[in-house]
Amino acid sequence: MLNRRIFIKKSSLGATFFAIPSCAKLFFPDQFISKRPKLSERKFTSEAVENTIKTIKKSIADSELAWMFENCFPNTLDTTVKFYQKNNKPFTYVITGDIDAMWLRDSSAQVYPYLSLTNEDQKLKDLLKGVINKQTECVLLDPYANAFFDDATKISEWKDDVTEMKPGIHERKWEIDSLCYVMRLSYNYWKITQDSSIFDAEWKKAMLLILQTFKEQQRKDSKGPYKFQRSNGNPLDTQFAGGFGNPTKKIGLIHSMFRPSDDATFYPFLVSSNMFAVVSLRETAEIFCKILKDENSSNQFTNLAKEVDEAIQKYAVLNHPTAGKIYALEIDGFGNALFMDDANVPNLLSIPYLGYASKDDEIYKNTRRFSLSNANPWFSEGKFAEGIGGPHIGEHKIWPLGLIMQALTTDDDAEIISVLKMLKATHAGTGFIHESFDVDNPKDFTRSWFAWANTLFGELILHLHKTKPEILKKKF
């Protein structure tokens, strides 16, 4: 089993390849060769996805960017999915890439860009239904776990963590966003397909368990049932105070022991994830009202969203010495705050992407400027790129997830083009998007097979094809 944190795969290309990004074309022919698996080796094939690749490739003038899109967009389907039938329902197990485990967050994000194509392809639609059914099963097994196995007999490398590990669980880090991603996928699947058949008794039970878990982690009456500690010596992999995290003042926010990077929170009120919870709770309330006709439960989802939202606005908007009024990433309710942003989504940069606030919201605009500046301690600049990283990998490393989110949260053509140039200059000749790379040496990267980043890059190209096709007509 590979550790998500230490898995590093370096390119075999020499350092001279990266001396001048514009020289990359000297190393590649005009016709780039696909890096996709042979057709017979692909895990799943969708006619709608294949047609979309052909269509969009034709609209991309830059041959290297088109090549990257062809490699990345189908990567989840090509390499990470296991589709099967169980109990007369489709199930889809989605690994994250180089680790044979299904993260609730990653699996949602990996298939999310395919939602727009489901009405064109019944096979693809069934695959997405299978992901939702599998996630429902996972939530019902343990709402506090973040990653799962398809084989309950498989032994996790984290079996000795000081928490309640069950068969079928790979890792049990409590992250608010894991459950939010499950809710987001279900809601948007329904909105796009108008198929409400996924909202069966098991799904309803799972959503009510999510609601219960969020309320437990407000910790109004007790610390709740969850605690976590790990003895591998990495402080980002464990929690303070006997596994319950640093003390908080109970203000209505939901505690999250870990960030979407799988790093431990310092102050347990992770603001960006609470924002995600507000959006997801409201979306789920709509399903309970309109489809399940359960007004009582719908009101509970709505009321919790309102309480969390009000707490964010009251306690998480603070004055930064140089950036002004912005959202802090983490707070404790006592007045302490962590001013930084992390590249993993949900982060502060992603607020409009998640649907919490618009790109034109003044506090968001201030926060965005902070996130993308040297005022953010995890913003890095180097010879090949500048952007947001995070403590998960360390200093001088940028996460392409952050770069892609930067492009997805702006309407500025110049900024989008700048991001595309950086992504193109830093894939290290592989044609794929990585977890992170060194700002001065892109061949020093982590995770050669990271499907979330690949598919999110595909989502960006789809977004530009729809909203700013003129950008894709440029050569960089």
Side-chain angles (χ1 to χ4, degrees):
M1 179 60 60
L2 294 169
N3 187 327
R4 188 183 180 100
R5 184 179 305 282
I6 65 170
F7 183 93
I8 299 177
K9 173 69 175 176
K10 294 186 178 181
S11 167
S12 60
L13 293 174
T16 55
F17 173 86
F18 298 99
I20 306 174
S22 61
C23 289
K25 289 182 180 179
L26 296 175
F27 292 80
F28 296 106
D30 289 336
Q31 298 297 320
F32 291 89
I33 300 172
S34 172
K35 291 292 189 75
R36 298 179 65 185
K38 293 186 297 184
L39 186 60
S40 61
E41 296 174 357
R42 295 174 191 173
K43 301 293 186 181
F44 187 91
T45 303
S46 161
E47 185 176 347
V49 170
E50 297 303 321
N51 290 338
T52 298
I53 293 170
K54 292 175 184 176
T55 299
I56 293 184
K57 271 193 71 179
K58 291 177 183 177
S59 73
I60 303 175
D62 190 292
S63 56
E64 188 172 350
L65 195 69
W67 173 64
M68 291 172 65
F69 173 73
E70 180 185 14
N71 295 331
C72 291
F73 181 55
N75 185 245
T76 287
L77 300 182
D78 284 352
T79 66
T80 71
V81 299
K82 175 187 174 184
F83 180 62
Y84 57 95
Q85 294 285 327
K86 185 170 72 172
N87 301 328
N88 296 317
K89 295 197 298 187
F91 277 75
T92 310
Y93 177 66
V94 186
I95 65 172
T96 184
D98 49 50
I99 304 170
D100 183 13
M102 178 169 169
W103 267 257
L104 294 178
R105 169 185 54 254
D106 293 40
S107 61
S108 294
Q110 284 169 239
V111 301
Y112 190 81
Y114 306 135
L115 282 175
S116 62
L117 305 176
T118 49
N119 290 326
E120 304 170 29
D121 188 335
Q122 184 62 45
K123 278 179 56 183
L124 184 64
K125 185 177 179 181
D126 289 341
L127 182 93
L128 270 291
K129 288 178 70 173
V131 177
I132 294 168
N133 289 333
K134 184 62 181 177
Q135 290 181 340
T136 296
E137 181 181 76
C138 292
V139 171
L140 291 175
L141 174 61
D142 186 352
Y144 285 106
N146 59 323
F148 301 80
F149 294 127
D150 198 38
D151 179 1
T153 66
K154 194 168 183 178
I155 305 299
S156 172
E157 63 178 310
W158 309 122
K159 61 182 175 58
D160 295 325
D161 287 346
V162 182
T163 191
E164 187 185 349
M165 293 291 285
K166 299 176 182 177
I169 293 174
H170 169 66
E171 190 172 49
R172 195 174 189 252
K173 288 182 172 179
W174 162 236
E175 303 162 351
I176 293 174
D177 70 281
S178 289
L179 300 184
C180 293
Y181 271 106
V182 172
M183 301 161 87
R184 179 182 190 243
L185 183 63
S186 294
Y187 177 80
N188 285 282
Y189 171 86
W190 168 56
K191 279 295 183 179
I192 289 172
T193 66
Q194 294 299 300
D195 175 14
S196 61
S197 66
I198 57 170
F199 305 137
D200 59 14
E202 292 294 290
W203 184 89
K204 180 178 180 179
K205 185 179 177 183
M207 295 306 111
L208 292 175
L209 183 56
I210 289 174
L211 179 66
Q212 174 188 317
T213 304
F214 282 171
K215 288 181 176 180
E216 284 175 353
Q217 288 306 311
Q218 288 181 298
R219 300 188 186 178
K220 291 180 178 180
D221 302 316
S222 70
K223 290 183 178 180
Y226 177 83
K227 64 178 181 178
F228 182 97
Q229 287 185 303
R230 179 173 289 171
S231 59
N232 66 345
N234 188 332
L236 291 174
D237 263 357
T238 193
Q239 261 300 348
F240 305 94
F244 289 100
N246 274 326
T248 57
K249 182 178 180 181
K250 308 310 180 276
I251 56 176
L253 292 179
I254 305 165
H255 296 69
S256 186
M257 290 298 95
F258 291 88
R259 302 172 186 147
S261 60
D262 297 337
D263 289 345
T265 51
F266 188 78
Y267 298 123
F269 294 139
L270 180 56
V271 175
S272 54
S273 287
N274 272 269
M275 291 172 168
F276 197 5
V278 170
V279 175
S280 300
L281 286 164
R282 287 172 177 163
E283 291 175 344
T284 307
E286 183 182 343
I287 296 169
F288 271 77
C289 176
K290 293 182 178 179
I291 302 300
L292 301 179
K293 308 300 181 184
D294 183 346
E295 288 288 344
N296 178 56
S297 296
S298 178
N299 289 337
Q300 289 187 57
F301 282 97
T302 299
N303 291 339
L304 181 56
K306 183 174 184 291
E307 181 181 8
V308 173
D309 190 23
E310 289 176 350
I312 291 170
Q313 295 304 316
K314 184 175 181 180
Y315 294 100
V317 180
L318 299 169
N319 285 310
H320 183 271
T322 59
K325 187 177 289 187
I326 67 172
Y327 291 109
L329 182 66
E330 296 174 7
I331 62 174
D332 65 358
F334 290 112
N336 296 304
L338 183 61
F339 286 114
M340 62 167 274
D341 203 8
D342 199 316
N344 284 262
V345 182
N347 58 357
L348 296 175
L349 187 64
S350 68
I351 288 172
Y353 174 80
L354 298 173
Y356 181 77
S358 76
K359 297 174 186 175
D360 298 322
D361 179 85
E362 287 301 320
I363 299 173
Y364 171 70
K365 288 196 291 186
N366 288 345
T367 306
R368 190 177 196 276
R369 281 192 290 268
F370 161 80
S371 298
L372 298 171
S373 75
N374 289 319
N376 174 12
W378 291 102
F379 179 86
S380 295
E381 297 175 279
K383 295 178 182 178
F384 291 85
E386 61 179 36
I388 305 172
H392 188 78
I393 296 300
E395 292 184 286
H396 310 300
K397 294 285 181 72
I398 286 176
W399 288 61
L401 286 175
L403 288 174
I404 296 167
M405 191 51 56
Q406 182 180 347
L408 284 168
T409 54
T410 184
D411 293 319
D412 185 284
D413 288 9
E415 186 174 6
I416 294 169
I417 290 170
S418 174
V419 167
L420 292 175
K421 287 181 176 179
M422 287 188 283
L423 291 169
K424 202 182 123 176
T426 57
H427 64 83
T430 67
F432 291 101
I433 306 297
H434 306 124
E435 179 187 54
S436 72
F437 61 85
D438 188 283
V439 292
D440 294 319
N441 182 16
K443 72 182 180 69
D444 178 8
F445 63 81
T446 58
R447 303 193 69 182
S448 61
W449 180 19
F450 186 32
W452 178 13
N454 287 328
T455 315
L456 190 66
F457 172 74
E459 182 177 343
L460 170 61
I461 299 300
L462 258 66
H463 170 73
L464 295 177
H465 183 261
K466 181 179 179 181
T467 62
K468 291 181 175 289
E470 66 280 358
I471 288 179
L472 298 181
K473 296 177 183 177
K474 299 179 182 294
K475 292 187 177 181
F476 308 120

